[in-house]
């Protein structure tokens, strides 16, 4: 690990000012000279591997704003402070009652030790676990722009079949993000240009020809809160995760599903897919296929076909297409049968 300067700012404006001062390219936050850290469960790994090497690390855990550590529930929805830990949110009684898909996604994401360390904002910004990104001797456009993508013809069993490009097929491995995109969440951020509100669906960028630019955040912007609206489909919701082993592995395929039903018919459906895409993936084609339909195995299967109609599998990850369809069908039917 390369030596770095470690600082603990006590307010957001000071943290932003330092990050702004030491950032040389705001369009490439992954290559910034200064980086923020909270739980460190993702960034610390990549610093040890030499994937990232910031000159300055800004620890946000001393920030004095109480709202950063609070979960606030109102009639309008729920607000998670950025420094709330995954475990706190997963165990919160109102989260489990009103947003079971969020509680599920957090509970299934990692071990208890990781959930007690990782912050919610850090979790949604976690980086890929692509083997070629993590191993610095291999070509990776996400790590070194223009160097190529070794995963294209390499071992790509874990890689994306949706949202890929000629420059990158790395999978987004998070779970919590799938619940947030399904529930129309928004992110609040603060940086040198001031505070702003970002729809969660626009936070992550598709790789296209710039896979090293992963989010819409500037390098000196801090997420301060994640807000989820009170929506009629939130209570009938769940997150289904299929993985190689039951004990805290990354998803091969997952589905976050939320339904508003009129009897057996779908008034509104929200669907997000994990483990199969380069970014948190909202399956709008599947949602449209279910609109006004009786939810049964046939309509769920039709929605799954729509969700994966544009899939582009590679040699070793082609199984994800069928696995993803079956995962979505199961998630839809199990969500339909929930008692709410």
């Amino acid at each position: 690990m390369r030596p770095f300067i470690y600082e603990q700012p006590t307010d957001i404006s000071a943290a932003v000012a330092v990050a702004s001062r030491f950032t040389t390219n705001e369009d490439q936050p992954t290559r910034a000279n200064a980086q923020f850290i909270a739980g460190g469960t993702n960034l610390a790994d990549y610093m040890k591997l030499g994937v990232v090497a910031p000159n300055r690390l800004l620890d946000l855990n001393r920030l004095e704003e109480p709202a950063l550590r609070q979960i606030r529930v109102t009639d309008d929805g729920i607000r998670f402070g950025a420094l709330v830990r995954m475990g706190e949110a997963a165990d919160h009684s109102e989260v489990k009652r009103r947003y079971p898909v969020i509680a599920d996604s957090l509970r299934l994401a990692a071990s208890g030790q990781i959930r007690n360390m990782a912050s919610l904002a850090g979790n949604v910004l976690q980086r890929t676990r692509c083997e070629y990104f993590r191993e610095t001797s291999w070509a990776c456009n996400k790590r070194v722009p223009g160097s190529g993508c070794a995963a294209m013809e390499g071992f790509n069993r874990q890689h994306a079949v949706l949202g890929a490009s000629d420059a990158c097929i790395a999978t987004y491995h998070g779970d919590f993000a799938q619940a947030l995109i399904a529930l129309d969440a928004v992110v609040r951020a603060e940086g040198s240009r001031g505070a702003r509100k970002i729809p969660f669906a626009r936070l992550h960028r598709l790789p296209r020809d710039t896979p090293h630019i992963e989010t819409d955040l500037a390098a000196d912007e801090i997420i301060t809160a994640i807000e989820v609206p009170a929506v009629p489909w939130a209570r009938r919701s769940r997150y289904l995760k299929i993985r190689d082993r039951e004990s805290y592995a990354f998803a091969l395929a997952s589905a976050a599903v939320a339904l508003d039903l009129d009897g057996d018919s779908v008034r509104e459906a929200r669907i997000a897919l994990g483990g199969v895409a380069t970014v948190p993936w909202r399956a709008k084609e599947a949602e449209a296929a279910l609109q006004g339909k009786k939810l049964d195995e046939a309509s769920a299967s039709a929605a799954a076909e729509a969700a994966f109609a544009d899939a582009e599998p590679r040699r070793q990850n082609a199984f994800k297409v069928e696995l993803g369809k079956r995962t979505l069908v199961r998630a839809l039917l199990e969500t339909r049968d929930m008692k709410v």
Side-chain angles (χ1 to χ4, degrees), residues 140-304:
C140 174
N141 289 318
K142 190 180 285 289
R143 179 168 29 80
V144 182
S147 64
C149 176
M152 296 287 184
E153 302 302 328
F155 183 70
N156 47 43
R157 179 177 181 270
Q158 292 280 354
H159 288 71
V161 297
L162 294 169
S165 73
D166 291 338
C168 182
I169 59 172
T171 305
Y172 175 85
H173 279 92
D175 297 292
F176 179 43
Q178 319 308 333
L180 295 178
I181 200 170
L183 296 176
D184 296 330
V186 298
V187 168
R188 291 194 178 273
E190 191 168 329
S192 59
R193 297 180 181 88
R196 63 180 177 131
K197 189 175 179 180
I198 309 166
F200 193 82
R202 295 214 304 264
L203 179 63
H204 297 85
R205 295 190 185 188
L206 287 166
R208 297 192 174 94
D209 59 353
T210 56
H212 58 289
I213 305 176
E214 297 178 342
T215 74
D216 192 50
L217 294 172
D220 64 357
E221 279 190 299
I222 298 173
I223 291 178
T224 57
I226 299 168
E227 298 174 346
V228 185
V231 288
W233 51 85
R235 291 198 184 192
R236 186 181 296 276
S237 65
R238 70 159 308 184
Y239 182 71
L240 177 63
K241 181 176 182 178
I242 306 301
R243 45 198 169 176
D244 281 323
R245 65 177 189 274
E246 193 65 20
S247 178
Y248 308 119
F250 295 106
L252 292 172
S254 66
V257 171
L259 298 172
D260 182 19
L261 299 180
D262 180 8
D264 289 335
S265 297
V266 178
R267 273 195 295 249
E268 197 83 37
R270 288 292 186 273
I271 299 169
L273 303 174
V276 295
T278 56
V279 293
W281 192 263
R282 176 83 173 269
K284 291 188 176 181
E285 294 82 4
E287 296 171 1
L290 288 168
Q291 191 79 34
K293 303 283 178 56
K294 178 181 178 181
L295 181 52
D296 54 22
E297 188 158 353
S299 62
S301 296

Side-chain angles (χ1 to χ4, degrees), residues 7-339:
E7 295 189 38
Q8 294 180 301
T10 56
D11 62 76
I12 292 174
S13 59
V16 167
V18 174
S20 181
R21 179 183 174 192
F22 289 98
T23 295
T24 56
N25 189 339
E26 294 186 354
D27 290 330
Q28 294 187 23
T30 63
R31 299 173 65 80
N33 288 331
Q35 288 197 1
F36 301 115
I37 190 170
T41 58
N42 191 235
L43 179 59
D45 283 349
Y46 286 142
M47 290 177 66
K48 293 174 185 176
L49 292 169
V51 174
V52 295
N55 295 330
R56 191 172 298 262
L57 210 56
L58 304 177
D59 186 346
L60 302 180
N61 289 294
R62 294 290 181 89
L63 295 179
E64 295 174 350
E65 289 85 346
L68 292 171
R69 296 171 179 81
Q70 294 174 352
I71 299 174
R72 186 185 308 158
V73 182
T74 68
D75 291 341
D76 295 325
I78 192 163
R79 182 188 187 279
F80 298 100
L83 294 179
V84 171
R85 275 18 190 187
M86 292 172 64
E88 294 176 67
D91 293 338
H92 194 282
S93 60
E94 286 299 292
V95 174
K96 290 191 287 187
R97 186 175 72 87
R98 297 173 58 172
Y99 302 91
V101 67
I102 290 179
D104 287 349
S105 70
L106 291 168
R107 178 178 54 83
L108 294 171
S111 67
Q113 293 93 330
I114 295 293
R115 294 199 306 271
N116 288 338
M117 280 293 295
S119 68
L120 294 184
N123 180 265
V124 300
L125 297 177
Q126 67 181 283
R127 307 192 66 192
T128 183
R129 297 288 172 157
C130 171
E131 296 89 345
Y132 299 102
F133 173 74
R134 291 166 59 86
E135 174 48 65
T136 58
S137 63
W138 289 97
C140 174
N141 289 318
K142 190 180 285 289
R143 179 168 29 80
V144 182
S147 64
C149 176
M152 296 287 184
E153 302 302 328
F155 183 70
N156 47 43
R157 179 177 181 270
Q158 292 280 354
H159 288 71
V161 297
L162 294 169
S165 73
D166 291 338
C168 182
I169 59 172
T171 305
Y172 175 85
H173 279 92
D175 297 292
F176 179 43
Q178 319 308 333
L180 295 178
I181 200 170
L183 296 176
D184 296 330
V186 298
V187 168
R188 291 194 178 273
E190 191 168 329
S192 59
R193 297 180 181 88
R196 63 180 177 131
K197 189 175 179 180
I198 309 166
F200 193 82
R202 295 214 304 264
L203 179 63
H204 297 85
R205 295 190 185 188
L206 287 166
R208 297 192 174 94
D209 59 353
T210 56
H212 58 289
I213 305 176
E214 297 178 342
T215 74
D216 192 50
L217 294 172
D220 64 357
E221 279 190 299
I222 298 173
I223 291 178
T224 57
I226 299 168
E227 298 174 346
V228 185
V231 288
W233 51 85
R235 291 198 184 192
R236 186 181 296 276
S237 65
R238 70 159 308 184
Y239 182 71
L240 177 63
K241 181 176 182 178
I242 306 301
R243 45 198 169 176
D244 281 323
R245 65 177 189 274
E246 193 65 20
S247 178
Y248 308 119
F250 295 106
L252 292 172
S254 66
V257 171
L259 298 172
D260 182 19
L261 299 180
D262 180 8
D264 289 335
S265 297
V266 178
R267 273 195 295 249
E268 197 83 37
R270 288 292 186 273
I271 299 169
L273 303 174
V276 295
T278 56
V279 293
W281 192 263
R282 176 83 173 269
K284 291 188 176 181
E285 294 82 4
E287 296 171 1
L290 288 168
Q291 191 79 34
K293 303 283 178 56
K294 178 181 178 181
L295 181 52
D296 54 22
E297 188 158 353
S299 62
S301 296
E305 291 293 332
F308 286 88
D310 295 328
E312 296 181 352
R314 300 239 159 209
R315 182 179 57 184
Q316 290 156 335
N317 69 356
F319 75 96
K320 283 192 173 189
V321 177
E322 183 61 26
L323 179 64
K325 292 176 185 178
R326 295 187 185 194
T327 300
L328 178 52
V329 170
R330 178 180 158 191
L332 284 166
L333 297 179
E334 290 183 1
T335 306
R336 177 199 64 184
D337 295 338
M338 288 178 64
K339 295 188 184 300

